[in-house]
Amino acid sequence: MPKQVFAQLEHKEEIIKGIYKFSVKASEIVQNAKPGNFIEIRVTDQVEPFLRRPISIYNLDKENGILEFIFQVKGKGTDLLSRKEVGDQIDIVGPLGFGTFKTEKYNKIAIIGGGIGIFPLYELAKEAKENNKQVTGYLGFRNKEYVMLEKEFAKVTDNLVITTDEGSYKNKGFAIDYLIKDMKKEKYDCIYACGPLPMLKAIQKYANENNINCQISLEEKMACGLGVCLGCAVKTAKSPKEAPEYFHVCKGGPVFNAKDVEI
């Protein structure tokens, strides 16, 4: 059950320009959260901007009740949030999303993310590793300047592949190309993905065509986070064209089986 908490900001870090990691004390949310959940944050006490901002959960420290999330400054709301200082109280609702990453049935998994889409994959990889799963990570970035959290992901994976589009750091090309190449010999039980829509579409197509288990985390404009505003609809894969049916990402997801949605 989601809870509203006023969480104290314990630590703040700008990991690269314009991208911040916040650590907040939010035991009530942390104890109930799962990999793939998200939170909604009220960024100001003023009337504008009115709507909360949905942000993925990056890390859960259940022993100390610390919730970590990472966000990129993209507009007025996230700019206001980035101005919070250690000691400030942040109005947070969570955990949200009934569709979360599920690893119980699988022992050998691959995670793949692109850019800022890598953030919700960390808690997934960490939990899977703690449960003795074999985890391989594929993280793709535009160039060396945008590479983030390499050391953190290296600690929660058995093997980590870093790619940059133009080869300025580590492997040249797209993360999905390296995943597909390795898939021929590694035979992963399931693929978990989050990132830009073109990447997700390519992964979904590959997984569905080759009958590979795949779970994808979608990003939509989730204004309320509770399925009330209906602004985050995504078409179901099996719905007829003449009478389309929809999931709402905030409730049905944000994590879906790749066979269930049309993206």
Side-chain angles (χ1 to χ4, degrees):
M1 183 70 181
K3 294 182 179 293
Q4 180 182 15
V5 302
F6 291 87
Q8 180 167 300
L9 179 56
E10 302 285 333
H11 180 74
K12 172 184 178 181
E13 177 186 358
E14 189 173 17
I15 57 176
I16 65 172
K17 186 173 177 57
I19 296 182
Y20 292 85
K21 180 172 77 171
F22 279 15
S23 304
V24 300
K25 187 74 172 179
S27 300
E28 293 174 279
I29 294 177
V30 170
Q31 296 308 318
N32 295 306
K34 298 177 181 179
N37 279 143
F38 68 99
I39 53 178
E40 289 268 1
I41 299 177
R42 185 158 176 77
V43 298
T44 179
D45 293 331
Q46 306 301 313
V47 175
E48 176 66 27
F50 176 73
L51 296 175
R52 292 176 180 268
R53 267 41 183 182
I55 297 179
S56 300
I57 292 174
Y58 163 68
N59 182 44
L60 299 166
D61 178 353
K62 298 202 173 185
E63 183 177 348
N64 298 299
I66 297 296
L67 165 69
E68 293 189 315
F69 58 91
I70 303 175
F71 64 95
Q72 182 177 29
V73 176
K74 287 187 173 182
K76 184 176 180 180
T78 45
D79 178 60
L80 286 169
L81 182 59
S82 74
R83 297 172 188 266
K84 299 284 187 181
E85 298 296 342
V86 171
D88 288 350
Q89 300 290 312
I90 302 178
D91 182 350
I92 302 175
V93 173
L96 294 164
F98 291 104
T100 55
F101 292 116
K102 295 176 175 59
T103 62
E104 293 86 352
K105 296 180 181 179
Y106 311 116
N107 293 311
K108 189 174 184 180
I109 70 172
I111 63 169
I112 179 168
I116 61 174
I118 70 172
F119 305 146
L121 296 173
Y122 177 80
E123 181 63 27
L124 162 67
K126 186 186 78 174
E127 185 181 278
K129 198 79 172 67
E130 289 172 350
N131 290 324
N132 299 312
K133 312 288 186 180
Q134 184 177 332
V135 184
T136 300
Y138 299 85
L139 306 181
F141 303 95
R142 191 183 309 169
N143 56 44
K144 183 177 181 179
E145 180 183 353
Y146 290 93
V147 175
M148 298 172 283
L149 306 173
E150 181 179 3
K151 292 181 180 178
E152 289 82 354
F153 272 93
K155 292 178 181 178
V156 297
T157 55
D158 296 283
N159 184 40
L160 182 63
V161 178
I162 300 289
T163 70
T164 48
D165 294 354
E166 26 67 298
S168 57
Y169 186 70
K170 293 293 178 75
N171 301 284
K172 181 179 180 179
F174 300 115
I176 186 174
D177 296 329
Y178 290 85
L179 168 63
I180 291 173
K181 182 182 70 173
D182 290 349
M183 193 74 195
K184 295 175 182 177
K185 57 181 180 180
E186 296 295 342
K187 304 295 183 183
Y188 299 120
D189 298 328
C190 190
I191 299 170
Y192 300 82
C194 185
L197 190 58
M199 185 196 81
L200 291 181
K201 285 184 175 182
I203 292 167
Q204 181 189 47
K205 183 174 185 291
Y206 170 75
N208 288 349
E209 288 179 350
N210 291 277
N211 198 31
I212 299 167
N213 298 309
C214 181
Q215 298 173 28
I216 55 177
S217 180
L218 300 181
E219 295 180 355
E220 293 289 339
K221 293 182 178 179
M222 298 181 284
C224 71
L226 299 169
V228 177
C229 70
L230 308 181
C232 59
V234 59
K235 188 183 291 186
T236 65
K238 297 179 181 179
S239 62
K241 291 183 179 180
E242 62 276 10
E245 299 173 349
Y246 296 88
F247 291 118
H248 292 101
V249 174
C250 68
K251 289 190 71 177
V255 180
F256 294 91
N257 185 308
K259 294 180 179 179
D260 291 342
V261 291
E262 183 179 312
I263 61 173

